[in-house]
Amino acid sequence: GLGLGGGVMMSSKSMEDTGDIKLEIRRTLTDVKDKYGAFKEAVDENNLKDVVNDKEAQTTEDGFWDKADAAQKVMQELDRAKAGLEQAERLRGLWDDVQTVMAMVDEGEEDDELLREASAMIREMDRELGEWELGRMLSGTYDSMGCVVSIVSGAGGVDAMDWAAMILRMYQRWAERKGYSHRLLDCTEGEEAGIKSATIEVDAHMAFGYLKGEKGAHRLVRISPFNALGKRQTSFVGVEVMPLLDDESESKVEVNESDLEITTMRAGGKGGQNVNKVETAVRIVHKPTGIAVRCAEERTQLNNRKRAMAILKAKLLVVAEEQNAARISEIRGDQVSADFGSQIRNYVLHPYKMVKDTRSACESADVNGVLDGEIDAFLSSYLRHA
């Protein structure tokens, strides 16, 4: 009798759990249904199909690849339209599956496996629709562009240099997880460990929109592996984010040549035949503001100069926007602060583990996940907050 009684007890408990799961599913489903309705209203699939056909036809025209920049623009538009179509088809498939499973649940088929499947599909839809909503919020002038992220170690000595290397890896892993193309443009290694500074380029649609809120000071609290006394230490890293300008946008930014101080040097660090023999690295200083940019990863001085100039223009554009200046010449140098601006996020590894954004109050106890590039929750909570 005991066995049977225990079984009955178990099944009533599982019925309770099943009821809770069903309630949760229905609540999330109502929300997802509204979001999906908004998605269908906003996304014109027929128009996307026309764009794909039109751009694909252009790629087969004679001489299409003769103008590399124009061809690249067409390819980017084609990729975006294809991605939009794929997303619409994926969401439609998910929605149909959810409807099928929910119909089975409504007919009384309530096994846990079915409910778990429904819950997972609805969560997947909710996540994807959340990303789409976020994309719609990014309507700034440069939001749709790729970006250049500049990382500089601040107060905290060797620990801060190690922290800068960890932050660099965090953004590289974020880009990898997204499938975004990224590359290192410059990196100055620390004497003992880590890096003094680094610059990476993320060449992907909306990368600037997503990452622009990362600008500011990132604070680390931990027991420093470089402190012999094993004391807790605080270190800072400054992050700057600039749009990756296309040729058209870059040509609109007028910078007076006489305001620039350009120096060349040998590219330090590990590398091929050229490293440390030829002065390929280029540093450009914009004298009125003191803004400096260095690029060393390209193989030739000419290419490094071109990249450095593009990054400098992007930096000046961001500053101009912050100061509401109509032209670069109106930027006030005294306001281009040498510190990292406000502290935007705390990463605590000791005495407890927690990453917390100071602006949106978004937090995560999964510090390792965050440092491995899982920062989407922080990016989206900031953008929704801003």
Side-chain angles (χ1 to χ4, degrees), residues 84 94 126 171 203 212 221-222 255 336 346 373:
L94 270 171
D126 196 36
Y171 292 127
D203 190 1
K212 63 183 178 183
V221 180
R222 69 170 177 179
V255 178
V336 181
N346 291 307

Side-chain angles (χ1 to χ4, degrees), residues 356-370:
K356 185 164 186 175
D357 205 285
T358 59
R359 304 156 303 177
S360 66
C362 177
E363 58 181 48
S364 169
D366 182 14
V367 179
N368 292 339
V370 171

Side-chain angles (χ1 to χ4, degrees), residues 194-265:
I195 57 172
K196 289 180 179 176
S197 64
T199 305
I200 59 164
E201 173 185 293
V202 182
D203 190 1
H205 183 55
M206 292 289 186
F208 178 69
Y210 286 130
L211 287 183
K212 63 183 178 183
E214 290 298 284
K215 175 190 162 77
H218 295 245
R219 175 175 172 259
L220 171 73
V221 180
R222 69 170 177 179
I223 300 284
S224 170
F226 306 101
N227 184 320
L229 301 173
K231 285 188 174 173
R232 197 168 66 156
Q233 188 170 330
T234 299
S235 298
F236 290 90
V237 160
V239 172
E240 264 189 293
V241 185
M242 291 76 66
L244 179 59
L245 300 178
D246 53 30
D247 290 346
E248 195 182 329
S249 305
E250 196 189 321
S251 65
K252 290 177 186 169
V253 184
E254 289 176 15
V255 178
N256 196 335
E257 279 285 329
S258 62
D259 285 342
L260 303 177
E261 186 181 288
I262 302 174
T263 47
T264 59
M265 65 217 72

